Amino acid sequence: MKTILTLIIISLVSCASNLKAQKITLEKVKEFNLPDGYDCNLLEVVQEEIVVTCPQASAFYHSMDGEDFKEVQYKYGRGPGELGRGPFGIGILKDYIVFSDPDLQRLFVYDKVKESFFVRNIKVDRGLTFLSSSDYDSLIFIRNRTLNSLGNLYNFYTQKFFKPFLTKEPFENSFLRDGQVELLDNLLLFGSFHEGYVSIWDLKKQKQIEKYQLFKNNETRERSAQMNGMPGFIPPNSENNIEGIGLYTKTEGDQFIIVLIKSRTNEFDLNKLYVFDTKKEQFVSEIKLEAEAKVFEMSGNFVYVHYEDLDKLVKYKMSAK
């Protein structure tokens, strides 16, 4: 009995030491105010440049080099300088900010030099959906509606598509394509919204190199429904959903997936970021936030968290102890 008790104590001490060793902390650097009472739903950060979209305000908010947000208004419509709906995804380039307009199957583009908008029609396999920034000035990542790929890199200046990021197996239904895409250096991260995994891809080879199961949901099947008297399908009633992902690499080379998870079973909280150790393949710690987060982004060793209820975006510096 004494031997068993001793082993339990040693195990608990070892576990506590491991959690302490892997503790990741946030230090507040700056707060950015956002308009009161508006649902700001998208956030993109490339180096020190930030874009937040607030569709209800018909505007996006733009900051460069740590400056306060500048409001940029746009118009909804089908005209040459108008946005159909959304937007759905943000691509930050040196002279342009690119938004996805899937209803009209085109890119809605803000020229930062001329301070004006224009549109570009784009032909995407099975149709344009979302887009994301990369760390390369010329490249954005375009998502489509195919069941066997995540999407393609797209050169904004040459209008060339690169080879698709083909999945090993097709998605079982169209809703399982849903997820968070982040491009960091030469890697692409995909956090499955419904299936609870994060896959890591080589950006240059368009190949999956790792896949980690963070949690599993029981409900991942699409559901039948009547829509305007017609039969159709709606998304799975999955218990937990990945709302944001990032990757933190320590100087020793250890990598941690940072994730924001929305849970209808209260298994996870939106007022925390969860830290997943890729070597141990398990959650090792939590990062307490100021309030429930809407979304977050990582850029280098900095984390940007949007608090919708507080109408602000906060920049933190991340470090590991």
Side-chain angles (χ1 to χ4, degrees):
M1 181 66 181
K2 184 182 292 184
T3 302
I4 294 174
L5 184 60
T6 301
L7 288 173
I8 292 173
I9 293 172
I10 291 172
S11 176
L12 289 172
V13 170
S14 175
C15 180
S17 298
N18 178 60
L19 286 174
K20 185 177 181 181
Q22 307 299 346
K23 186 176 181 182
I24 295 176
T25 60
L26 299 180
E27 178 185 353
K28 184 183 291 188
V29 177
K30 182 177 174 63
E31 288 190 1
F32 300 85
N33 292 322
L34 287 165
D36 295 344
Y38 288 102
D39 181 13
C40 301
N41 61 346
L42 295 180
L43 166 66
E44 192 71 60
V45 182
V46 174
Q47 296 178 359
E48 288 292 304
E49 187 169 1
I50 311 168
V51 176
V52 179
T53 61
C54 302
Q56 292 177 344
S58 301
F60 70 85
Y61 296 82
H62 185 215
S63 169
M64 297 184 67
D65 302 320
E67 297 177 349
D68 291 337
F69 278 127
K70 172 187 174 183
E71 182 182 79
V72 181
Q73 292 277 337
Y74 54 79
K75 294 181 179 180
Y76 285 106
R78 307 177 69 89
E82 297 175 331
L83 176 68
R85 185 168 64 95
F88 295 84
I90 307 166
I92 300 176
L93 304 174
K94 180 181 178 181
D95 294 325
Y96 304 99
I97 301 173
V98 186
F99 303 95
S100 175
D101 190 352
D103 283 9
L104 301 179
Q105 288 296 293
R106 66 188 191 183
L107 304 177
F108 180 60
V109 185
Y110 178 70
D111 187 319
K112 289 186 274 187
V113 178
K114 298 180 180 179
E115 297 187 345
S116 61
F117 292 96
F118 66 93
V119 297
R120 176 188 292 177
N121 293 322
I122 185 170
K123 292 185 178 181
V124 180
D125 189 14
R126 301 289 296 274
L128 169 71
T129 57
F130 290 83
L131 63 82
S132 303
S133 297
S134 76
D135 288 336
Y136 298 90
D137 174 54
S138 59
L139 301 178
I140 56 178
F141 190 77
I142 301 286
R143 300 214 62 198
N144 56 43
R145 293 190 174 95
T146 62
L147 292 178
N148 65 345
S149 83
L150 294 181
N152 307 70
L153 281 170
Y154 171 77
N155 189 309
F156 180 79
Y157 301 107
T158 66
Q159 303 186 42
K160 172 189 174 183
F161 282 98
F162 290 77
K163 292 191 301 182
F165 284 63
L166 296 174
T167 55
K168 293 181 179 179
E169 297 179 356
F171 294 108
E172 291 184 9
N173 63 66
S174 61
F175 299 108
L176 298 186
R177 296 173 310 192
D178 296 344
Q180 302 294 328
V181 172
E182 294 293 336
L183 281 68
L184 305 169
D185 297 323
N186 291 317
L187 298 176
L188 180 146
L189 276 65
F190 174 71
S192 172
F193 189 74
H194 295 291
E195 295 192 291
Y197 68 82
V198 172
S199 56
I200 301 179
W201 298 67
D202 185 304
L203 203 62
K204 294 182 177 179
K205 296 180 180 179
Q206 297 92 39
K207 296 288 185 181
Q208 180 180 306
I209 52 179
E210 298 288 352
K211 182 178 179 180
Y212 301 99
Q213 192 71 49
L214 276 59
F215 56 83
K216 288 189 176 181
N217 287 322
N218 295 319
E219 301 293 336
T220 58
R221 294 176 297 178
E222 59 186 8
R223 296 175 290 166
S224 300
Q226 291 289 323
M227 294 175 287
N228 297 322
M230 299 292 291
F233 295 97
I234 58 175
N237 191 28
S238 49
E239 302 94 311
N240 304 301
N241 307 122
I242 293 177
E243 296 285 343
I245 52 172
L247 188 68
Y248 179 72
T249 303
K250 292 175 65 177
T251 54
E252 301 86 3
D254 295 338
Q255 288 189 323
F256 301 89
I257 296 171
I258 313 298
V259 62
L260 178 69
I261 306 170
K262 184 177 181 179
S263 175
R264 64 177 178 85
T265 60
N266 297 320
E267 184 177 353
F268 301 96
D269 296 319
L270 286 172
N271 60 359
K272 296 176 182 177
L273 295 178
Y274 293 87
V275 181
F276 183 91
D277 188 325
T278 60
K279 187 179 294 184
K280 296 180 173 59
E281 298 196 20
Q282 63 183 27
F283 288 111
V284 292
S285 62
E286 304 167 356
I287 305 171
K288 181 70 175 176
L289 300 174
E290 298 177 41
E292 286 194 355
K294 175 77 172 183
V295 68
F296 84 98
E297 281 281 319
M298 292 183 63
S299 181
N301 290 332
F302 294 98
V303 179
Y304 299 78
V305 181
H306 172 218
Y307 298 105
E308 182 179 356
D309 290 344
L310 303 180
D311 295 316
K312 67 180 182 180
L313 175 77
V314 181
K315 176 184 179 181
Y316 301 95
K317 183 176 182 180
M318 176 175 283
S319 59
K321 295 182 178 181

